[in-house]
Amino acid sequence: MVSKQLNKVRKFEQKYLPHTKAEQPAFHVTAGVGWLNDPNGFSFYQGEYHLFFQYHPYDVKWGPMHWGHVKTKDFIEWEHLPAALAPDMNYDSAGCFSGSAIELPDGRHLLMYTGVRNIRNRNGRIESFQTQCIAVGDGVDYTKYEGNPVIAADQIPEGGSVHDFRDPKIWREGDTFYAVIGNRTADKSGAILLYESRDALHWSFAGTLASCHNQYGKMWECPDFFPLDGKDVLLTSPQEMTAIGLEFHPGNANVCLIGTYDRMAHHLNRENVHAIDYGLDFYAPQTLLSGDGRRIMIAWMQNWETSSCVDQKLGFMGQMTLPRELSVKDGHLYQVPVRELEKYRGVRVVYQNLLINGDISLNGISGRYLDMTVSIRPANPGQMYQWFRIYLAKDGEHYTMIRFRPNLGTVKVDRTQSGFPHDIVNVREFPVYSGDGNLKIRIVMDRYSMELFINDGKYAASFVLYTPIEARAISFSADGYVYADIEKYELIQEPASVNPLREEGIV
Ligand code: FRU
């Protein structure tokens, strides 16, 4: 049965969603109308990929959380479906918080989410009580389980907080279901708890997979845990991170813990810890296993710190990253845009062995919907260049700058002139450890964003831009002598197979 609250949001969507297309990014998921944060329920269900998201349809700011819903066949072209969940039960009256989804053996689609209930305490303060809940459906309509909540306070290990107990990520191995859930423990920092179940309805606590011990931020939100390339990978998004060098920035950050899972102890033995994405806008990633066996990750391309900085004209707030294919090499997580993006490549322009010294603009290299790879090396290895810069989304007033300094081994991105009317953090510098002057940087731009994939995806960095779409110039600049190979594709909204226009320009 569709509740009053869900019916209201579905009617609202029917009225407003059809009119929002023009201002939207071409390839990135948004709510269409209203506010979006974390990806939820990213799953392969009956031959299609479903994505739900934290959703407040009625405003461009966070509010009582619903689950919005989109689906896709190729990770690039998305179709909006009616909202899936509304906060309409006592146990989720303050919001249906983040969670995940899985196809059940009987063909139904199961959503597992955090139900939040607010209660005023004796001091007059509102406290949130968080439990784990289930809804089951057919890919469009979902019914909340009458036995909700399925994991409540009595199943939190001693010292754990019921106020910070959220974001279940479910998976299945044979006939056992598992879920990892974020929790704040007695030392006031985060831990990832592991639960198991035979039927996804009755759960028991299995162990603590990983603990923060105040080392990487505080509460660990939105965990995801999966095996990949012979290693075990835990992704989580810590709150209140303290900066650690250039690796971790303060505030809401993101962390990848790579190691080996001890199945008996239910514990991840860490071997390496690094940031997942080094940009300004990345949080709460979630993964799925695709039909052809790829581990694919999507994240909220935004940061809580800057999420109140809305471009009021747009009518939506928040977007997802492009889905990314993950791999682990030499103990490090690599990520590249899903290969399906290549179907949306249009005109290709290539420059090879181009000598750059000073400033240069190039015929055919401009645009705002693009997929461009720039590989650079010192022209004279005996004399290292000082820096190399790429300017994008440029006109007389705007630009976004990417700078590489070989002697520091860092990339810096500056979006101060990228259309934000807010005094927020607009610069980020991060390590890429390449002192030999060689760097390969892939840049994917959509209407309101830029995602970087450096050295074949070893480092990724995501940035929201609000630069007017007319600012399309691109230029390059080097202090010293640099050889560059540049390959640029325009991205088009229909796949290349239906767009006959495919020219090549090799220089
Ligand atoms: C992370 C988060 C989650 C929570 C959701 C609420 O961004 O804080 O922990 O479930 O957002 O919208």
Side-chain angles (χ1 to χ4, degrees):
M1 218 210 33
V2 176
S3 68
K4 189 162 76 32
Q5 293 88 332
L6 193 58
N7 196 31
K8 179 174 166 214
V9 62
R10 287 180 167 193
K11 283 212 160 113
F12 183 84
E13 289 171 332
Q14 275 167 9
K15 184 163 177 199
Y16 294 106
L17 260 183
H19 308 292
T20 58
K21 202 103 185 132
E23 287 293 337
Q24 300 285 323
F27 308 100
H28 290 79
V29 173
T30 74
V33 57
W35 160 279
L36 162 155
N37 59 291
D38 314 350
N40 296 156
F42 190 34
S43 54
F44 187 47
Y45 178 64
Q46 302 206 342
E48 292 179 307
Y49 298 101
H50 286 252
L51 176 70
F52 304 80
F53 49 86
Q54 291 287 279
Y55 180 35
H56 184 224
Y58 307 117
D59 205 341
V60 286
K61 46 185 194 245
W62 193 85
M65 281 291 106
H66 298 61
W67 274 35
H69 191 184
V70 289
K71 69 174 184 179
T72 182
K73 287 191 169 62
D74 69 356
F75 297 109
I76 305 294
E77 200 177 352
W78 297 86
E79 180 190 336
H80 274 269
L81 295 172
L85 299 178
D88 50 17
M89 304 301 281
N90 191 30
Y91 54 76
D92 63 19
S93 49
C96 300
F97 274 23
S98 283
S100 51
I102 193 168
E103 178 164 348
L104 293 172
D106 66 9
R108 291 176 305 154
H109 201 202
L110 178 137
L111 313 182
M112 187 175 191
Y113 69 99
T114 300
V116 180
R117 199 157 62 100
N118 283 344
I119 298 176
R120 197 175 289 282
N121 69 17
R122 268 197 245 125
N123 307 326
R125 261 189 55 218
I126 301 259
E127 287 184 326
S128 107
F129 288 80
Q130 308 187 345
T131 56
Q132 315 317 319
C133 304
I134 297 285
V136 178
D138 60 0
V140 178
D141 294 312
Y142 294 84
T143 306
K144 291 179 183 170
Y145 172 52
E146 69 274 10
N148 277 341
V150 295
I151 310 178
D154 57 344
Q155 295 199 63
I156 302 176
E158 203 179 325
S161 165
V162 67
H163 311 301
D164 283 307
F165 179 47
R166 59 181 175 271
D167 312 333
K169 174 71 199 292
I170 189 171
W171 75 96
R172 187 161 68 94
E173 288 173 34
D175 47 16
T176 307
F177 292 91
Y178 294 91
V180 279
I181 304 176
N183 187 220
R184 196 187 290 260
T185 51
D187 71 2
K188 302 274 178 261
S189 73
I192 304 303
L193 309 181
L194 179 68
Y195 289 80
E196 61 187 352
S197 168
R198 278 307 167 111
D199 59 3
L201 300 176
H202 303 88
W203 292 85
S204 55
F205 175 66
T208 298
L209 183 70
S211 305
C212 172
H213 299 308
N214 287 297
Q215 193 183 5
Y216 299 106
K218 297 288 179 186
M219 169 65 188
W220 279 359
E221 300 189 306
C222 301
D224 197 345
F225 184 55
F226 49 88
L228 187 61
D229 298 329
K231 291 286 168 199
D232 295 295
V233 180
L234 174 64
L235 308 179
T236 185
S237 298
Q239 296 180 304
E240 300 164 64
M241 176 75 100
T242 312
I244 305 178
L246 293 179
E247 186 67 30
F248 295 105
H249 59 83
N252 286 85
N254 58 85
V255 176
C256 171
L257 301 105
I258 299 185
T260 308
Y261 176 48
D262 178 341
R263 278 184 175 273
M264 298 305 286
H266 295 302
H267 186 75
L268 175 70
N269 295 317
R270 292 176 204 174
E271 289 153 19
N272 194 16
V273 180
H274 61 77
I276 308 168
D277 185 289
Y278 294 84
L280 289 166
D281 301 296
F282 184 94
Y283 201 67
Q286 191 169 89
T287 72
L288 58 65
L289 202 55
S290 67
D292 56 3
R294 290 173 287 161
R295 179 60 62 175
I296 295 181
M297 176 182 77
I298 194 164
W300 185 33
M301 190 155 54
Q302 186 60 53
N303 191 302
W304 280 112
E305 254 69 42
T306 56
S307 62
S308 58
C309 301
V310 180
D311 189 334
Q312 294 291 346
K313 290 190 303 295
L314 296 184
F316 70 89
M317 174 58 184
Q319 55 181 311
M320 299 296 175
T321 63
L322 281 177
R324 300 171 182 176
E325 293 179 19
L326 301 184
S327 57
V328 173
K329 284 177 220 150
D330 301 326
H332 203 283
L333 188 74
Y334 279 67
Q335 44 194 306
V336 291
V338 282
R339 62 197 66 169
E340 286 83 349
L341 184 67
E342 290 161 27
K343 289 191 301 169
Y344 294 79
R345 284 172 166 175
V347 176
R348 174 176 182 253
V349 178
V350 175
Y351 288 83
Q352 274 165 347
N353 292 318
L354 178 78
L355 184 65
I356 302 183
N357 168 238
D359 302 327
I360 186 168
S361 304
L362 300 166
N363 269 342
I365 305 281
S366 66
R368 282 294 289 280
Y369 302 97
L370 57 85
D371 182 355
M372 176 167 76
T373 301
V374 181
S375 305
I376 55 168
R377 56 197 178 277
N380 176 358
Q383 204 186 354
M384 186 58 76
Y385 60 93
Q386 290 301 303
W387 47 254
F388 176 76
R389 294 179 184 159
I390 306 174
Y391 292 89
L392 302 132
K394 202 168 90 153
D395 61 12
E397 190 185 335
H398 304 95
Y399 64 84
T400 303
M401 188 213 43
I402 304 168
R403 185 202 68 190
F404 173 55
R405 287 187 66 164
N407 62 337
L408 298 177
T410 61
V411 166
K412 175 174 160 181
V413 173
D414 186 340
R415 63 154 189 210
T416 311
Q417 302 294 336
S418 307
F420 279 91
H422 300 278
D423 186 20
I424 58 175
V425 179
N426 281 318
V427 179
R428 177 131 298 152
E429 185 163 3
F430 53 94
V432 295
Y433 305 107
S434 169
D436 62 3
N438 294 339
L439 193 81
K440 187 172 172 192
I441 177 161
R442 182 170 171 194
I443 304 166
V444 179
M445 293 189 85
D446 194 353
R447 189 180 184 103
Y448 295 116
S449 65
M450 172 179 87
E451 290 166 88
L452 307 182
F453 302 91
I454 293 170
N455 292 347
D456 298 311
K458 185 165 186 186
Y459 308 98
S462 309
F463 300 86
V464 169
L465 312 176
Y466 282 129
T467 321
I469 196 73
E470 296 74 32
R472 339 171 354 100
I474 295 177
S475 65
F476 305 88
S477 181
D479 180 6
Y481 290 88
V482 170
Y483 276 128
D485 297 332
I486 301 168
E487 180 182 41
K488 190 219 110 181
Y489 294 91
E490 131 192 68
L491 289 176
I492 47 177
Q493 262 170 294
E494 326 83 74
S497 52
V498 296
N499 180 343
L501 202 148
R502 239 183 184 231
E503 295 166 18
E504 294 226 337
I506 314 279
V507 183

